[in-house]
Amino acid sequence: MPPLDHTLHHTLRERYDVVVIGGGPAGLSAAVTLGRALRSVVVLDSGQPRNAPAQGVHGFLTREGIGPAALLAAGRAEAETYGATLVRAEATQVRRVADGFSALLADGRTVIGRRLLLATGLADEMPAIPGLREQWGSGVVHCPNCHGYEIRAQRIGVLGTGPMSIHQTLLFRQWSEHITLFLNDTVTPTNEEWDTLAARSVRVVDGAVASVDQLDGVLTGLTLRGGRTFDLDALAVGTRMEARGGLLEPLGLEPQDHPSGMGHSIAQGPMGSTAVPGVYVAGNVSNLSAQVVVAAAEGTIAGAAINADLVAEETAWALDGYRGPFSASSEAGVSERVLGVRRHGMDDGSAMGASASTGSKRREEVRGAG
C-alpha cells in the first residue's frame, strides 16, 4: 500500500451527505464537484489504484505523461481545498440504513452517507504465465490508445487471450508494422480473420506461451512451450477486467457480463445512477474501457447528479414542511371548516375583508422574497 500523505489523515465523522468509496480519478472528481456544491463528502481510499504500475497517464488534456501517483496527489489536494474528507481506509461492507447507506471499514469504524458513490475501479486478470505480471505496466501493456504512441515502430507482440485479441492486434497495427499475434492455444481465427491479418502483414505464431522474458527488468521477448523464442520490445495483452463491485451485492447490484466479453461491470443508468435509488457508480467499475480522463469525467457527472438528487430531496422536505399540519394554509383550512371563516394563528378575522386570499398572499410573499 502506498504511504499516507497529509491529505489522508482527516478524522472520520459519523455522517456525511455523500460517501465515496474509491480514491481514484473518478472518486476524487466527484468529491471536487460535491465539495463545490457545499456538500459534506468523505472519500474512502484503499490505496490500490489500477494504474499504479504505469509510467505515465496519457490522453488526459494538460496532464499528458504525468505519473499516476502525482495525478492522484494533485486530485486529493483539489478535493481537500473544497472541504472533502479523505481517509485511507478499506470499506468491507455497505448496507442500507434508515437515513441512507452505511459503510463498514476494515478497522471497525462505520460511516453513513445520504448517498453512496462506488468508484472502486476494476482488477485486471491475466494468464498465469511466468514473467507476465512482473512486466505489467512497463513492457506489458493493454490499451493501444494509452500506450501505442510510446511503443510506436517497435516490435510488438500480442498475446492471445480471447476473441478480442484479433481486434487488439489490428489496433496496435496502427502504431507499428512489426506486429506478431501469438495465438497461445487460445485464439482460433476465422477464414476472414486470417485474410484480414494477412492483408495487414501481421505475423501469426501458433503454440502456447511458456514465459515472458526479461533482462534487468526490461522485457526482451517470450518463449513458447516448445522452446522457440521471439525477440520483442513490447507485449500487448487483453486482460479480463473484473469490476470491484462486490460491495454492492447486499444492495441487489451485482457485476454483469460485459457485452464485449471483456469481463464484468456494474450496470449504470443516466449520469452514473443505478437500479438502487441513492447509489451511484463512476469510472472503471461500470465502464471497463474508460481511460483516466473518461473516469474523471464520469466522476464529475455523477457528483453533479448526486447533488441534484439531494437538492430534490431537500426541496421536497421544505415543501412538506411548508404544507405540513401546522402551516398557515393548514390552519386556515381547519378554521374555515370549523368556524366558516378562513383564518389562522392569532388572526381574529378583523382584517379578512381587506386582505387577499391566502393563495394571493402566498404569491406576494414569494415575489417579495425574490
Side-chain angles (χ1 to χ4, degrees):
M1 179 179 293
L4 293 172
D5 60 39
H6 77 283
T7 63
L8 296 173
H9 282 276
H10 292 293
T11 301
L12 185 66
R13 300 205 317 256
E14 181 182 2
R15 296 175 186 275
Y16 294 85
D17 288 329
V18 186
V19 172
V20 177
I21 302 178
L28 291 173
S29 293
V32 169
T33 299
L34 290 163
R36 287 177 55 82
L38 310 180
R39 295 295 179 185
S40 61
V41 55
V42 59
V43 178
L44 306 176
D45 182 7
S46 66
Q48 299 176 352
R50 177 196 182 195
N51 65 348
Q55 297 177 354
V57 173
H58 301 289
F60 200 136
L61 189 63
T62 77
R63 294 295 182 267
E64 177 60 36
I66 187 173
L71 179 66
L72 293 181
R76 293 183 191 119
E78 287 184 11
E80 188 179 39
T81 296
Y82 293 108
T85 299
L86 308 176
V87 179
R88 175 59 53 78
E90 180 182 1
T92 59
Q93 183 183 65
V94 296
R95 62 188 181 91
R96 186 185 293 279
V97 293
D99 46 358
F101 302 90
S102 70
L104 176 65
L105 309 186
D107 60 13
R109 291 179 294 173
T110 299
V111 61
I112 295 175
R114 292 167 57 194
R115 298 294 184 272
L116 175 68
L117 171 64
L118 190 73
T120 45
L122 60 80
D124 291 286
E125 296 182 356
M126 58 187 72
I129 297 174
L132 183 61
R133 185 164 288 279
E134 290 80 356
Q135 284 291 317
W136 180 242
S138 54
V140 174
V141 300
H142 73 292
C143 173
N145 294 309
C146 300
H147 308 289
Y149 185 84
E150 281 63 41
I151 58 176
R152 65 194 183 279
Q154 297 183 18
R155 297 169 298 178
I156 303 171
V158 179
L159 178 65
T161 58
M164 293 296 291
S165 293
I166 293 177
H167 174 67
Q168 184 182 38
T169 299
L170 295 173
L171 288 178
F172 271 102
R173 178 62 178 80
Q174 169 62 21
W175 282 269
S176 176
E177 297 178 355
H178 313 292
I179 303 293
T180 302
L181 169 61
F182 295 90
L183 298 180
N184 192 34
D185 288 355
T186 302
V187 178
T188 303
T190 65
N191 289 335
E192 183 177 355
E193 287 170 337
W194 277 115
D195 288 343
T196 301
L197 293 167
R200 294 293 284 158
S201 301
V202 173
R203 183 184 185 187
V204 180
V205 175
D206 204 354
V209 175
S211 66
V212 173
D213 308 324
Q214 59 87 30
L215 178 64
D216 297 330
V218 178
L219 182 139
T220 58
L222 56 74
T223 301
L224 300 184
R225 287 182 184 174
R228 190 180 178 190
T229 62
F230 294 84
D231 295 332
L232 298 172
D233 300 306
L235 179 65
V237 54
T239 63
R240 182 165 179 81
M241 296 178 278
E242 298 293 337
R244 295 170 176 161
L247 282 172
L248 298 184
E249 290 184 8
L251 302 178
L253 293 172
E254 296 184 8
Q256 304 294 315
D257 288 332
H258 194 273
S260 68
M262 295 188 299
H264 294 87
S265 61
I266 299 295
Q268 66 169 317
M271 302 186 73
S273 61
T274 69
V276 177
V279 177
Y280 294 76
V281 289
N284 286 140
V285 73
S286 54
N287 185 351
L288 298 182
S289 60
Q291 292 180 246
V292 173
V293 67
V294 176
E298 289 188 354
T300 298
I301 292 171
I306 291 171
N307 179 61
D309 189 11
L310 291 171
V311 167
E313 181 178 73
E314 291 158 358
T315 301
W317 289 346
L319 189 59
D320 186 58
Y322 186 76
R323 294 173 174 172
F326 301 107
S327 67
S329 59
S330 294
E331 289 188 22
V334 171
S335 175
E336 185 174 33
R337 288 193 297 273
V338 176
L339 303 177
V341 178
R342 189 170 182 80
R343 63 179 67 165
H344 62 83
M346 298 301 293
D347 180 12
D348 61 3
S350 60
M352 287 296 292
S355 66
S357 68
T358 303
S360 298
K361 286 182 179 179
R362 193 176 301 123
R363 287 191 291 272
E364 290 302 322
E365 289 172 358
V366 172
R367 292 194 183 98

